[in-house]
Amino acid sequence: MVCVAVNGKPMLGVIHKPFSEYTAWAMVDGGSNVKARSSYNEKTPRIVVSRSHSGMVKQVALQTFGNQTTIIPAGGAGYKVLALLDVPDKSQEKADLYIHVTYIKKWDICAGNAILKALGGHMTTLSGEEISYTGSDGIEGGLLASIRMNHQALVRKLPDLEKTGHK
């Protein structure tokens, strides 16, 4: 993955899947070779989550969206962002949301954030704050990534993990 951030804002992202030889890229106000899918399910979403750093994300997702919600454990922040998009790689799983509830390094999410931003999507902290790629090397508050959904409504729907102790 490669990301260019300008003044803390992700502007260019590249995610390469070496085994499928697929590369996705997008630049804010500059084009892309990838696009959003035509539809997403906000009611009972398929949610991609970290396989190795899940925290309480499965419980939070089921509590928030109901028992019909599908949880997809996966490795790699880039892979999880690609799961939200329309990619030609047939082996790529498809999800409606990407939720992460534990600490995550900014270098691991910048490229995906830039691609989502270029396509009109969002990647924020779970409390809805934009992620700045300056200062600290990670974010404590987890993240929510979506595209073609009401992102702020999704943020409001999630429980306050700081207060509930679900981190």
Side-chain angles (χ1 to χ4, degrees):
M1 291 187 293
V2 176
C3 182
V4 174
V6 178
N7 297 321
K9 295 181 182 352
M11 301 302 289
L12 169 70
V14 179
I15 300 172
H16 178 68
K17 292 179 70 177
F19 300 109
S20 66
E21 298 184 12
Y22 175 70
T23 302
W25 66 268
M27 184 168 67
V28 174
D29 298 326
S32 71
N33 74 336
V34 65
K35 62 184 179 182
R37 293 197 317 270
S38 58
S39 67
Y40 294 85
N41 184 344
E42 288 186 56
K43 301 268 190 260
T44 54
R46 294 175 51 85
I47 302 173
V48 66
V49 303
S50 175
R51 180 175 37 228
S52 57
H53 304 287
S54 61
M56 299 290 285
V57 72
K58 290 177 187 173
Q59 294 88 328
V60 168
L62 293 173
Q63 171 191 341
T64 304
F65 298 102
N67 290 332
Q68 299 303 311
T69 301
T70 302
I71 305 297
I72 306 166
Y79 180 90
K80 290 185 275 281
V81 167
L82 291 179
L84 303 179
L85 304 174
D86 183 10
V87 298
D89 181 356
K90 300 297 180 220
S91 66
Q92 178 68 54
E93 293 183 89
K94 299 203 179 322
D96 301 303
L97 296 173
Y98 168 19
I99 299 177
H100 190 91
V101 297
T102 61
Y103 179 84
I104 192 165
K105 297 278 192 176
K106 290 178 182 177
W107 57 261
D108 207 20
I109 59 173
C110 187
N113 194 345
I115 290 173
L116 286 172
K117 185 174 179 179
L119 299 175
H122 304 277
M123 181 183 288
T124 65
T125 64
L126 292 175
S127 59
E129 298 168 11
E130 292 296 322
I131 299 165
S132 174
Y133 293 90
T134 60
S136 68
D137 66 348
I139 55 171
E140 295 284 343
L143 67 82
L144 172 64
S146 70
I147 189 165
R148 290 197 176 166
M149 290 189 180
N150 183 334
H151 191 82
Q152 287 307 313
L154 293 168
V155 167
R156 287 189 299 274
K157 197 170 186 176
L158 287 169
D160 184 336
L161 297 177
E162 295 289 335
K163 291 179 183 165
T164 61
H166 279 107
K167 284 179 71 173

